[in-house]
Amino acid sequence: MAGIPIAVRKGWPAATIGLCLATLIALAGLQFQWTGQLSRAQEESLLLGLENSVAQFEREILRELSYLLSLFRSLGWPSADGLPPHLQTAMRRWVRTSRYSPLLRRALVYSHSGSLLVELSPDGSRAEVSERETGLGAVRERLDAYAESAPLRTEREAPWRLFPSAGVVCRRLFPGPEQSAERVLEAAAAGGSYLVLDLDWSFALSSALPELVARFFSDADGEPLYRLTIVNRRSGTVLYKSDESIDRQSLELADFRRPLRVVRPTGLQRPGPPPRSLEFRRLRETGRGGQAPARGGQPGLTRQPPLVGRDRSIVRVDGAPVDLEVVAWHVSGSLDAVVSAQRTRSLALGFGVLLILGGAVALLVVSASRSSHLAKMQMDFVAGVSHELRTPVSVICSAGENLADGIVAGGGQTRKYGELIRDQGRRLSAMIEQALQFAALRSSERSIQLEKVDVEAAVREAVNQARAAIDQAGFSVDVSSSSGLPPVVADPGGVQQILANLLSNAVKYGRPGRWVRVSARQRTPQDDEVWIEVADGGSGIPAGERDRIFDPFFRGEVAGSGSIQGSGLGLKLARDLAVGMGARLSFRSKPGQGTVFALRLPVASQS
């Protein structure tokens, strides 16, 4: 049962990381799903916004056209000058109140009974012109045919007629309520007169439509969001396009298309819902296909009503059928590209946040694991130091009791006890000094004084201080140094401490060979470092422990199995002191061939 807690303690970081990783993967999957749903909702929102923009675009065109037709609807019968009495008033009101007043180029009055053709310009000028000057011969023939085939008795029965080829809108004139009955009968017998509104289509295409497109298909900063074109589906003619780069291939890849609900053809047709609209999507999702159901007619056939304005006036298209369609693209290329790019950015941002979160969790887990491991090593250090302190303290106490009780007699015994107390006291002092040095280095309280140091003298002094321990352990020591070694820059006390720790470790772990070799050399005369190497003939450092020998409180397997004394701080202190002096401490080891530690000290400059 004692092994179970240890296994759990060793395995909990991996289990925690696995659980966190599974949670992050689940969150990533949910985010991918949510982002997909958000993209679909965003696409529908963009389509809905585009449909709303098209509807506003249509309503604005219809409003202006209806306003124009309503102004010129009830004008009365032409007077002696050939013009209706209220025509000039309607013209002035249109010029004064409409933001698209240049759309109306002139008004013409045609009498069926004769060849009178009177023109009124927006500035109020009046003139009589001939058919050849206006190019309205075909329009006049159609008006004459209407007058002869379908005589009208009331003004409400008279529709506005649009002649797309001539660019005019016509309507029959009726006598006003102030006219006498005889005048009404005379007008009916004469076949009536017609008001012809000559529209400037070039202004509509170059000014009016671009202004409407900029108003309804741009963002709050005025930047265009969509490219737009208007096509006559019957003839395939492109009537307007907001961008010259639009071609027939672009029409096939449009984001949105539907019939333009401003001027509609009469009769039956099979337009069906547009391929990209919310209406088409709903029909497709409900399984009803791509054709709208007809009311009281054949499936898929829709009877399009003529244009109906605010004042209920009606325009009938005369001549070739006009089937207008509005087609739109997003300026980025397509709505799919916009939504896909937004989704990619959202996924990248979300996954980046999850990655950072995963890294933070991993760091927390690793930090907790290292803290747990460090706490365990500190407990092992406390236990080891306690064990190490127990032996010298017990020996000193026992020797002191023997001396106090008078058991020791004679100078030889007293000297022996004195040496025992001295050696154990030094051992105790060394352990306390290591602990204090480690604490000082960790708190940055120890100051390092750099100065020029004679390498040969430093090596001799360190060996002489460790000679007693080396001889007592039964080791032989070999000291060698190259001649003429230059001085180095180091802390003299730090160099002594490093060499003392290295010699102590060589004695502790070099028992199979029982020899220690210390050498100081400079590899080449131009080398800027002096190498001090401490070698032993021990069993070497196992490969699995080489990355940890400089960790605090770490003691290898050989130390535990061989009951080797120590606290696990010697090599840590040696490396920290070397780094603090600007030196380097390294090692090389082979199993069964011992270990060599090398302290590389920088050479002092000549100045």
Side-chain angles (χ1 to χ4, degrees), residues 309-350:
R310 230 173 10 183
D311 59 344
R312 313 303 297 172
S313 60
I314 298 175
V315 172
R316 294 182 181 177
V317 179
D318 191 281
V322 177
D323 185 5
L324 299 183
E325 183 180 45
V326 59
V327 186
W329 304 260
H330 198 276
V331 292
S332 299
S334 67
L335 286 178
D336 291 336
V338 174
V339 174
S340 178
Q342 181 63 34
R343 184 182 184 188
T344 301
R345 286 193 295 269
S346 299
L347 286 176
L349 180 61

Side-chain angles (χ1 to χ4, degrees), residues 223-541:
E223 296 296 328
L225 288 177
Y226 297 96
R227 297 182 297 165
L228 195 76
T229 184
I230 300 176
V231 183
N232 186 353
R233 291 196 298 179
R234 295 296 183 108
S235 62
T237 305
V238 177
L239 302 181
Y240 168 80
K241 54 184 178 180
S242 62
D243 192 339
E244 293 299 328
S245 63
I246 298 175
D247 53 16
R248 293 194 175 275
Q249 184 178 4
S250 301
L251 295 176
E252 300 176 359
L253 304 176
D255 290 322
F256 177 89
R257 62 195 314 153
R258 83 171 188 196
L260 186 63
R261 300 165 185 173
V262 175
V263 179
R264 300 181 183 177
T266 58
L268 297 177
Q269 58 174 337
R270 294 177 179 268
R276 286 296 300 270
S277 67
L278 295 182
E279 178 187 359
F280 173 71
R281 175 170 294 182
R282 296 188 187 102
L283 291 175
R284 184 176 59 187
E285 291 176 353
T286 54
R288 288 184 287 171
Q291 292 184 345
R295 291 186 180 180
Q298 301 179 15
L301 296 180
T302 58
R303 182 174 297 276
Q304 299 287 354
L307 182 146
V308 180
R310 230 173 10 183
D311 59 344
R312 313 303 297 172
S313 60
I314 298 175
V315 172
R316 294 182 181 177
V317 179
D318 191 281
V322 177
D323 185 5
L324 299 183
E325 183 180 45
V326 59
V327 186
W329 304 260
H330 198 276
V331 292
S332 299
S334 67
L335 286 178
D336 291 336
V338 174
V339 174
S340 178
Q342 181 63 34
R343 184 182 184 188
T344 301
R345 286 193 295 269
S346 299
L347 286 176
L349 180 61
F351 286 153
V353 172
L354 290 178
L355 184 62
I356 294 175
L357 182 60
V361 171
L363 288 177
L364 287 175
V365 172
V366 171
S367 177
S369 176
R370 294 187 64 179
S371 298
S372 176
H373 178 67
L374 182 60
K376 179 179 179 299
M377 293 179 65
Q378 290 174 340
M379 291 301 297
D380 293 342
F381 166 73
V382 172
V385 168
S386 301
H387 176 75
E388 294 294 329
L389 292 175
R390 184 182 302 169
T391 300
V393 169
S394 299
V395 171
I396 291 173
C397 291
S398 178
E401 289 176 358
N402 290 338
L403 290 174
D405 293 339
I407 298 177
V408 178
Q413 290 291 332
T414 302
R415 182 178 179 181
K416 182 177 180 181
Y417 272 82
E419 292 176 352
L420 182 62
I421 294 174
R422 181 198 62 194
D423 294 340
Q424 295 300 323
R426 289 177 178 175
R427 178 181 172 187
L428 182 61
S429 176
M431 286 188 291
I432 294 175
E433 185 64 24
Q434 276 194 347
L436 291 176
Q437 289 180 356
F438 176 74
L441 287 175
R442 298 294 288 181
S443 61
S444 302
E445 291 181 356
R446 172 165 179 163
S447 60
I448 297 177
Q449 302 295 330
L450 297 180
E451 58 184 71
K452 289 184 178 182
V453 177
D454 187 344
V455 176
E456 297 181 23
V459 170
R460 284 196 304 270
E461 184 177 354
V463 172
N464 291 334
Q465 290 181 359
R467 177 76 66 175
I470 294 174
D471 294 340
Q472 185 178 357
F475 277 62
S476 62
V477 59
D478 180 22
V479 181
S480 63
S481 62
S482 302
S483 61
L485 288 177
V488 296
V489 177
D491 181 358
V495 173
Q496 294 298 319
Q497 183 66 43
I498 293 173
L499 294 179
N501 289 337
L502 295 180
L503 290 170
S504 175
N505 280 348
V507 172
K508 292 178 182 178
Y509 297 98
R511 295 189 181 279
R514 292 189 175 275
W515 55 264
V516 178
R517 184 167 54 246
V518 182
S519 63
R521 60 189 175 89
Q522 191 178 16
R523 289 189 170 185
T524 63
Q526 295 77 24
D527 194 2
D528 58 355
E529 290 181 330
V530 173
W531 292 53
I532 301 177
E533 294 184 341
V534 179
D536 63 60
S539 59
I541 301 173

